[in-house]
Amino acid sequence: MGGAEANQLKGKAQGTSGPLSHIAMNPISFIGKEVIKFSFHLGRMVKLLWEILKAVPDFRTYSKPLAKQMLVIGNRSLTIIFFISILAGMTVSVQTAYNLKSYAPLYFLGSTMEKTILLEFGPLLAAFILVGRVGATIAAELGTMRVTEQIDALESLAFNPVSYLILPRVVAGMIMVPVLTIFANAVGITAGWLTCIAKTNVTTHQFFYGFKSVYQTFDLSFGLIKAVFFGLTITFVSCYEGYYARQGAEGVGRAATNSVVIASIIILILDYFWASALLGF
Amino acid sequence: MLRGVDLSISEGRTVAIIGESGCGKTVLLKMIIGLLKPDSGSVLLHGQDLTRIKYKELVEIRKGFGMVFQGSALFDSLTVDGNVGLGLRRHTRVSEEEIRKKINWCLSHVGLEGAEDRYPAQLSGGMKKRVAFARAIAMAPQFLLYDEPTTGLDPITAGRIHQLIDYLNRKLSVTSIIVTHDIAVVSRMADRMAMLHQGVIRFEGTPEELMRADDPVVRQFVVSSKYGRGEYEKV
C-alpha cells in the first residue's frame, strides 16, 4: 500500500477526511474564503446591474429581442401556470373551508380567498413556476452561448451582449411575471370559487359578497409590486449565472442549478421584505 | 499565460501565429480584438491603445474587424441568414433588400448559396466554418482574425478553407491574422510568421526564414509539424 493511500485511509478512520473535516480543522480560513467569494459575486452582480442600466438607451439593439423574450416567457409558462393555479385555488378553498368551519360565516370563504390568492399565492406561485421554467432555461441558454464562444462572437460583431442578451430578458421578466401573476390570480380565484360551490354550502352570492367586502386595489397592487421584483430576481440571477458560466457542460449545468436555488432564496427573502414593508408589520 | 509579447503587424499583410496548444495563441487573438484585456501592456491600432479606450469606442473599432472562431460560434437560435446578416441589420441603415443581396454575396463567396434558411444544427462542421467566414466578411472588415480555422476538419474541407482564406485575403485586401498549427499550408499564404512559445514571441519572420531557423525550439516545432511529433530527434 502506497504512503498516500495509507494516509488517506488513516484520515478516514480518524474521521478527518472530506470537506467537513477541512472546515473543522480551519474554520477561519473557510469563513474567510467564503466571505471573499461572496464579496466577489456581489461586486460582479452590482457591476452587471450597472451595465444593464447603462444599456437602457440602446433601444435599437434590444427592442426585437425584448418582444421575442416576452413571447417566450409568456408562451413557455401559460399552460403550467394555468394548471398549478387551478390546483392551488382548489386546495386553498378546501383548507380555508376546513379552517373556518363552524367558526365564521360562509361568506368569509370569499374574503379569505381574496387575501390569500392576491397577496400571496398568485405572485409566489407564478414566481416559483417561472424560476424553474424560465430561470433555468435562461441560465442554460446564456451558459451555452458563453462556453461555445457565441457571446465572444457577438462582441466581435460590435454588439454589446448586455444590450442584446441580458437587458431584454430582464425587462421581459419584469413585465411578464406581473402579467402571469394576474393570470394566476384569476385562475386561482375562479378554481377556488367553483370548488367552494361544489364542496361547501356557500353560494356564489355569498362567496363574492365576502370577496368584495374585503377587496382593496392595494391587495392587487401589492402582489404586482412583488411580482415585478420577482421577475427582476429570476431573470437577473439566471442571466448572471449563465453569462459568467465556465468549464463546458458542467459549468452550464451548475449555472442552471445555481440560478434556481439562488433566485428561490432571494424570492422568499423579498416576499418577507415586501410583506413587512407594505403591510405595516 | 502571455509574458511580454511584442508583435507588429503591417496593414494589408497576412500574419500567421503558430505555437503549441495552450501557449496563448487564442488569448493573443482575443486581446487584439479587445475580448480579453491584458494585465499590463497595450494593444495599439493606428496608434490608439485599445486597452485604454472607452467601451463604446471599442465597439466602434470592432466594426472594422471580422473574426472566425475555432468552433465557428454560430448563433444556434438564428438561421444562416440571421447569422450572416446580424451585424448588417444592426449597424447599417440599408434596406432589407440590400442586406439580402449582401448576404447572398457573402454566401456565394464561401460556396453556400441557398443555405440561408438553414439553422446551424442542420449544417456540417465544414459548412458551419464557411458560414462563420461569411459572417466575418459581411461587414467588409479591414482586419480578419482566424482562430484555428481548420481544426477538426477533414483534409479536403481543410484544404478548401485554406483556399478560401487565401482567396479572401487577395480579393478583399484585408489584414489577416491566422492562428494555426498547420505550418505547411499557412506558410504558403502568410507574409509573416510568428511563433509563440512560453508566453513570448520566440520567432518572427517570413515563412522561408522560419523553415531555415536555427533556434532548436522553432526547429523542433517546424520539423515535428512536418514529420509528426517526436520525429525531430530521428531527423
Side-chain angles (χ1 to χ4, degrees):
Chain A
M1 187 183 285
E5 216 175 325
N7 280 341
Q8 206 181 7
L9 282 179
K10 197 176 156 194
K12 273 185 188 165
Q14 291 172 350
T16 55
S17 64
L20 280 178
S21 66
H22 168 70
I23 298 166
M25 282 171 72
N26 206 341
I28 294 172
S29 153
F30 174 77
I31 293 167
K33 275 180 192 165
E34 289 302 308
V35 168
I36 290 170
K37 213 187 327 179
F38 177 76
S39 311
F40 170 76
H41 283 291
L42 193 66
R44 208 163 59 169
M45 275 187 171
V46 171
K47 189 171 171 270
L48 184 62
L49 208 54
W50 176 238
E51 296 289 328
I52 292 172
L53 288 174
K54 279 202 301 187
V56 170
D58 194 9
F59 187 70
R60 198 168 164 231
T61 301
Y62 68 82
S63 54
K64 261 190 188 172
L66 172 63
K68 188 185 165 192
Q69 287 303 322
M70 283 171 66
L71 203 66
V72 166
I73 292 176
N75 263 352
R76 212 174 263 172
S77 328
L78 213 57
T79 319
I80 184 92
I81 285 186
F82 177 73
F83 285 112
I84 291 183
S85 299
I86 287 178
L87 292 169
M90 288 165 70
T91 311
V92 169
S93 65
V94 170
Q95 289 197 351
T96 311
Y98 171 76
N99 288 333
L100 296 180
K101 193 171 66 180
S102 66
Y103 296 109
L106 282 174
Y107 71 84
F108 262 49
L109 267 172
S111 314
T112 315
M113 287 290 293
E114 189 269 352
K115 293 291 178 200
T116 315
I117 301 271
L118 293 193
L119 293 178
E120 194 61 32
F121 263 77
L124 208 59
L125 262 183
F128 275 119
I129 292 166
L130 290 167
V131 164
R133 195 86 180 149
V134 174
T137 310
I138 289 176
E141 247 172 27
L142 294 190
T144 306
M145 287 188 78
R146 170 62 74 192
V147 300
T148 56
E149 293 185 311
Q150 289 178 52
I151 294 180
D152 284 343
L154 200 61
E155 285 200 80
S156 78
L157 290 170
F159 274 76
N160 177 355
V162 174
S163 303
Y164 189 73
L165 296 174
I166 298 180
L167 184 63
R169 284 169 169 81
V170 171
V171 175
M174 290 172 76
I175 296 170
M176 290 313 288
V177 177
V179 170
L180 291 167
T181 296
I182 293 173
F183 179 68
N185 287 344
V187 173
I189 287 169
T190 309
W193 159 56
L194 292 174
T195 310
C196 285
I197 302 290
K199 304 280 273 186
T200 69
N201 295 327
V202 73
T203 62
T204 297
H205 176 76
Q206 284 171 326
F207 182 90
F208 283 105
Y209 171 75
F211 186 94
K212 277 190 268 180
S213 64
V214 293
Y215 176 78
Q216 300 168 58
T217 317
F218 169 77
D219 294 343
L220 184 63
S221 34
F222 171 77
L224 295 184
I225 289 169
K226 287 202 298 186
V228 171
F229 282 90
F230 292 165
L232 171 68
T233 304
I234 295 163
T235 47
F236 177 72
V237 170
S238 51
C239 283
Y240 172 81
E241 287 294 331
Y243 190 67
Y244 292 109
R246 288 283 181 274
Q247 296 162 2
E250 192 192 341
V252 175
R254 201 171 34 238
T257 310
N258 283 352
S259 70
V260 173
V261 173
I262 296 169
S264 303
I265 293 169
I266 297 176
I267 283 170
L268 288 174
I269 294 170
L270 281 175
D271 196 38
Y272 174 74
F273 169 79
W274 284 116
S276 304
L278 296 180
L279 300 181
F281 288 99
Chain B
M1 185 171 274
L2 299 178
R3 300 178 294 114
V5 169
D6 189 4
L7 180 67
S8 299
I9 296 167
S10 307
E11 251 185 292
R13 295 297 182 95
T14 299
V15 176
I17 300 170
I18 55 170
E20 282 178 63
S21 295
C23 71
K25 302 187 294 292
T26 300
V27 170
L28 179 60
L29 209 58
K30 286 187 176 178
M31 279 178 180
I32 292 171
I33 198 173
L35 293 173
L36 292 174
K37 210 172 177 180
D39 295 328
S40 60
S42 51
V43 179
L44 298 173
L45 179 73
H46 299 142
Q48 194 175 20
D49 186 354
L50 302 189
T51 62
R52 294 191 206 289
I53 58 174
K54 287 182 182 165
Y55 184 73
K56 272 188 179 174
E57 292 171 316
L58 182 63
V59 168
E60 281 304 309
I61 286 172
R62 279 185 187 146
K63 289 178 187 170
F65 279 84
M67 183 163 175
V68 178
F69 287 82
Q70 191 173 350
S72 303
L74 298 182
F75 306 117
D76 302 324
S77 58
L78 301 179
T79 58
V80 168
D81 175 279
N83 268 282
V84 179
L86 190 67
L88 291 168
R89 291 191 172 100
R90 173 64 186 88
H91 301 306
T92 61
R93 290 188 182 272
V94 293
S95 67
E96 183 59 27
E97 195 187 346
E98 286 295 312
I99 289 171
R100 286 201 178 264
K101 268 188 198 166
K102 180 82 182 179
I103 293 168
N104 287 337
W105 180 84
C106 293
L107 289 176
S108 67
H109 273 71
V110 297
L112 279 177
E113 303 97 326
E116 292 90 340
D117 296 329
R118 293 208 215 166
Y119 281 91
Q122 299 168 308
L123 304 173
S124 68
M127 288 167 91
K128 279 184 193 170
K129 214 71 160 191
R130 285 188 280 159
V131 175
F133 275 76
R135 183 175 69 182
I137 61 171
M139 294 279 289
Q142 296 166 269
F143 309 97
L144 272 172
L145 313 182
Y146 304 94
D147 185 9
E148 306 274 11
T150 52
T151 301
L153 298 178
D154 64 86
I156 296 168
T157 313
R160 278 190 198 138
I161 295 285
H162 282 129
Q163 279 175 355
L164 184 62
I165 295 174
D166 201 25
Y167 171 76
L168 291 175
N169 289 347
R170 280 186 287 109
K171 174 105 178 167
L172 305 176
S173 312
V174 293
T175 306
S176 299
I177 305 170
I178 308 166
V179 158
T180 185
H181 291 109
D182 200 343
I183 299 180
V185 178
V186 89
S187 58
R188 288 204 291 271
M189 64 178 86
D191 300 306
R192 308 276 301 168
M193 305 278 282
M195 183 178 164
L196 197 58
H197 181 73
Q198 292 183 347
V200 293
I201 298 290
R202 181 85 181 206
F203 168 88
E204 196 193 344
T206 62
E208 293 76 29
E209 286 167 347
L210 179 82
M211 297 303 168
R212 293 196 304 267
D214 295 329
D215 184 330
V217 174
V218 179
R219 274 226 58 75
Q220 171 128 31
F221 191 81
V222 172
V223 176
S224 296
S225 303
K226 229 175 183 174
Y227 299 103
R229 191 159 286 278
E231 292 298 312
Y232 173 61
E233 298 305 329
K234 293 178 199 168
V235 174

